[in-house]
């Protein structure tokens, strides 16, 4: 039994932060969202180029992602800003947020009669929510409430030999305590999918893993080009990774070797049952991390080789590297340096403890480097064309 | 004990990862499973890159983590640097899909 201090939500989830996001339903509300977040200290702007003129599968995915952020365990309440009538409907989103017991507000720029009135309404709704959130106190809760997000970034050949092992060690420690963990990036299973399927808890999950991998291989082949350069990326290749298979086999080390509970679609909620989950996503970090955040992971471990700015506004990201020199080259992109376990006298168990200790501090409120520096990206994966 | 800065992951791997700079002409000992393999390095190899532990003829599988990471696109000799210039992937090959379509 290990406790942490978190924020209680009326839907039963427990947050490690108490954020108020302002969410654009379409790009035409982005500027209002950004300006309101500049005025209201501590509000989190969520902006994107989607939510209008999309086909239905993309509409569902965009909506599911935005709702996932608005009702995330780390979210106190959310303000939704629409431009006019959108296929991703602002009022509907605000109602769905309210159903979880969170405060929500819906602003429509056209209904408010213009951008300036819309901005004022957005600032007023957000200001009130941020003040109310700041009055809430952290309470002790068991860490079994937590979901551990896992993603790699700027991988190199050190990743699969060192930092991914520490990441897996910490993730399985949380699962052993009754929590959940999730990793994604389906194209980065290429070459390792059979071993991954063997870890599935049943045949259905095993088949799902193989089908999703096959689907991605088909999608990539349909382009008519070799994927090398996109996967592995040029920086992966500089770091010694030769093929997508090599990158994938190293990448899978970060999931450990325990059973795979289930596979969920992009931005779907991670089930409550304790265990290791997979979310279907591309290997593009900004998109995979955005999906995992929408799924409700409380924090994200970015296991990196060369260092990366990859981070998220709602899910604090902790960056771990095992590449000696990365911490020196890119200090703002290294929260935990465990390279001594690769080139020095330290063990992987030591590296796992280093990461675990940092996680425990972060879930209790310590800010990560990307939080302090205000760095984050938000990119929803898209399926089909705009219309 | 082999050089701890040259890592072969599984006993059937035919490449190993250098976690230090390797110099053309040096002879290294690599622990592979329970055995040791001695290889003369035939070119400078950068940190994080791979060397061949044995000759890998063109078309043969390159093994790391005990699994395929692709195939040799030309004959590779023991001690050579192994990377994109002599290894091709079996996945995401839209270029090949078009040729066979």
């Amino acid at each position: 039994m290990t406790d942490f201090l978190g924020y209680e939500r009326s839907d039963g989830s427990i947050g490690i932060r108490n954020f108020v996001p302002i969410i654009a339903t379409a790009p035409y509300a982005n500027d209002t969202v950004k300006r309101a977040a500049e005025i209201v200290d501590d509000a989190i702007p969520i902006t994107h180029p989607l939510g209008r003129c999309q086909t239905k599968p993309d509409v569902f995915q965009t909506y599911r992602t935005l709702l996932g952020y608005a009702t995330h365990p780390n979210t106190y309440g959310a303000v939704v800003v629409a431009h006019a009538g959108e296929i991703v409907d602002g009022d509907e989103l605000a109602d769905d947020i309210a159903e979880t017991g969170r405060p929500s507000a819906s602003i429509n720029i056209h209904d408010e009669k213009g951008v300036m009135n819309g901005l004022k309404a957005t600032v007023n709704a957000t200001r009130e929510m941020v003040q109310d959130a700041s009055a809430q106190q952290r309470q002790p809760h068991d860490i079994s409430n937590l979901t551990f997000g896992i993603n790699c970034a700027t991988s190199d050949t050190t990743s699969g030999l060192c930092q991914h092992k520490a990441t897996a060690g910490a993730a399985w420690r949380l699962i052993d305590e009754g929590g959940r963990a999730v990793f994604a990036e389906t194209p980065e299973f290429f070459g390792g999918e059979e071993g991954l399927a063997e870890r599935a808890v049943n045949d259905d999950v095993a088949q799902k893993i193989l089908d999703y991998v096959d689907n991605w291989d088909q999608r990539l082949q349909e382009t008519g080009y070799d994927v090398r350069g996109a996967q592995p990326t040029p920086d992966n290749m500089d770091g010694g990774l030769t093929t997508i298979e090599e990158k994938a086999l190293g990448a899978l080390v970060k999931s450990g070797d325990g059973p795979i509970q289930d596979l969920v679609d992009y931005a779907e909620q991670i089930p409550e049952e304790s265990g290791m989950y997979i979310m279907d996503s591309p290997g593009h970090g900004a998109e995979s991390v955005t999906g995992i955040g929408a799924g409700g992971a409380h924090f994200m471990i970015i296991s990196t080789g060369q260092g990366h700015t990859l981070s998220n506004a709602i899910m604090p990201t902790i960056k771990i590297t095992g590449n000696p020199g990365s911490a020196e080259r890119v200090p703002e992109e290294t929260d935990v340096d465990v390279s001594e376990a690769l080139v020095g006298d330290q063990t992987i168990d030591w590296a796992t403890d280093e990461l675990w200790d940092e996680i425990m501090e972060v879930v209790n409120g310590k800010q990560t480097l990307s939080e302090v520096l205000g760095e984050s990206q938000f990119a929803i994966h898209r399926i089909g064309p705009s219309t | 004990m082999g050089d701890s800065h040259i890592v072969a992951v599984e006993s059937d791997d035919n490449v190993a990862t250098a976690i230090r700079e390797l110099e053309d002409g040096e002879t290294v000992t690599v622990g592979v499973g329970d055995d040791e393999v001695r290889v003369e390095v035939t070119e400078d190899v950068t940190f994080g890159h791979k060397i061949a532990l044995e000759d890998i003829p063109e078309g043969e599988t390159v093994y790391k983590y005990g699994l395929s990471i692709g195939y040799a696109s030309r004959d590779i000799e023991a001690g050579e640097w192994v990377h994109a210039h002599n290894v091709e992937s079996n996945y995401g090959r839209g270029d090949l899909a078009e040729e066979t379509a």
Side-chain angles (χ1 to χ4, degrees), chain A residues 44-379:
Chain A
I44 308 272
I46 303 273
T47 58
H48 58 89
L50 309 177
R52 192 176 170 98
C53 299
Q54 293 190 281
T55 58
K56 279 294 186 324
D58 270 308
V59 170
F60 299 147
Q61 188 148 293
T62 300
Y63 190 90
R64 191 165 70 233
T65 306
L66 298 178
L67 183 63
Y69 278 82
T71 59
H72 189 281
N74 297 345
T75 296
Y76 171 81
V79 176
V80 177
V81 185
H83 162 248
E86 318 285 1
I87 194 160
V88 169
D89 186 81
D91 288 342
E92 189 187 341
L93 189 58
D95 288 348
D96 282 347
I97 297 163
E99 271 192 25
T100 70
R102 285 171 177 76
S104 74
S106 175
I107 314 294
N108 183 298
I109 293 168
H110 271 220
D111 291 353
E112 297 292 334
K113 296 190 172 54
V115 166
M116 294 314 291
N117 292 326
L119 177 61
K120 190 176 176 185
T122 305
V123 166
N124 285 340
T126 310
R127 173 185 49 75
E128 191 179 343
M129 228 177 266
V130 166
Q131 264 199 299
D132 290 347
S134 70
Q136 193 182 353
Q137 299 289 306
R138 287 178 180 264
Q139 303 290 343
H141 289 279
D142 192 85
I143 60 168
S144 63
N145 286 286
L146 297 174
T147 300
F148 185 123
I150 307 169
N151 210 91
C152 32
T154 311
S155 294
D156 62 16
T157 47
T158 65
S159 303
L161 300 175
C162 177
Q163 54 272 40
H164 282 0
K165 293 181 179 175
T167 300
W172 282 97
R173 192 180 294 185
L174 183 63
I175 292 168
D176 290 343
E177 294 255 13
R180 288 142 306 277
V182 55
F183 66 105
E185 305 175 274
T186 314
E188 297 183 11
F189 306 165
F190 287 177
E193 66 269 28
E194 284 173 14
L196 200 56
E198 282 168 16
R199 292 167 51 191
V201 294
N202 61 46
D203 291 350
D204 285 351
V205 174
Q207 194 55 52
K208 244 197 291 193
I209 292 168
L210 297 174
D211 289 348
Y212 275 83
V213 168
D214 192 48
N215 176 51
W216 273 100
D217 196 27
Q218 293 296 326
R219 274 179 86 178
L220 298 178
Q221 286 191 41
E222 282 163 12
T223 64
Y225 287 91
D226 183 356
V227 74
R228 189 141 73 178
Q231 284 288 10
T233 58
D235 52 6
N236 292 153
M237 292 171 78
D238 291 346
L241 293 171
T242 302
T243 61
I244 180 61
E245 297 96 299
E246 183 184 6
K247 181 177 175 177
L249 294 172
L252 287 171
V253 171
K254 71 186 185 295
S255 70
D257 49 20
I260 304 295
Q261 213 64 32
D262 204 355
L263 189 149
V264 299
D265 275 329
Y266 184 84
E268 272 196 342
Q269 291 299 296
I270 308 304
E272 274 196 27
E273 191 182 353
S274 178
M276 178 66 78
Y277 291 88
I278 296 172
M279 178 178 288
D280 182 47
S281 86
H284 179 18
E287 293 187 7
S288 57
V289 168
T290 296
I292 290 173
H298 290 76
F299 57 88
M300 169 60 67
I301 304 304
I302 303 287
S303 189
T304 177
Q306 313 276 315
H308 205 304
T309 59
L310 180 59
S311 43
N312 187 272
I314 302 287
M315 237 186 342
T317 51
I318 300 167
K319 288 153 194 177
I320 178 172
T321 186
N323 183 314
S326 276
E328 220 167 300
R329 280 192 301 274
V330 283
E332 298 84 6
E333 297 171 27
T334 312
D335 290 279
V336 184
D337 177 4
V338 294
S339 57
E340 279 300 302
L342 183 66
V343 296
D345 299 330
Q346 291 289 3
T347 63
I348 296 295
D349 284 347
W350 164 84
T352 303
D353 288 341
E354 288 287 298
L355 176 59
W356 181 261
D357 292 348
E358 185 70 16
I359 291 169
M360 287 302 113
E361 287 197 71
V362 167
V363 302
N364 280 289
K366 179 189 175 183
Q367 293 209 330
T368 68
L369 282 168
S370 60
E371 279 185 285
V372 174
L373 297 171
E375 284 199 310
S376 68
Q377 305 84 29
F378 186 80

Side-chain angles (χ1 to χ4, degrees), chain A residues 243 245, chain B residues 56-62 68-74 76 86-90 93 96:
Chain A
T243 61
E245 297 96 299
Chain B
I56 309 171
E58 183 178 345
E60 291 298 311
T61 299
V62 179
S68 168
I69 59 164
Y71 62 93
S73 56
R74 58 173 178 75
I76 302 172
N86 52 17
V87 178
E88 294 277 337
S89 168
N90 288 307
R93 297 303 298 269
L96 304 182

Side-chain angles (χ1 to χ4, degrees), chain B residues 2-79:
Chain B
D3 186 327
S4 68
H5 288 81
I6 307 172
V7 183
V9 185
E10 297 291 342
S11 57
D12 45 357
D13 288 1
N14 52 12
V15 295
T17 305
I19 51 173
R20 65 174 175 83
E21 306 286 319
L22 302 184
E23 284 181 14
D24 182 3
E26 72 168 297
T27 298
V28 296
T29 307
V30 185
V32 185
D34 297 330
D35 300 326
E36 285 186 353
V37 176
R38 280 172 68 80
V39 183
E40 187 184 330
V41 180
T42 59
E43 56 197 308
D44 289 351
V45 177
T46 310
F47 176 99
H49 285 247
K50 295 175 292 296
I51 55 164
L53 295 171
E54 57 196 58
D55 293 350
I56 309 171
E58 183 178 345
E60 291 298 311
T61 299
V62 179
Y63 288 100
K64 182 180 169 184
Y65 299 101
L67 294 163
S68 168
I69 59 164
Y71 62 93
S73 56
R74 58 173 178 75
D75 290 346
I76 302 172
E77 288 181 1

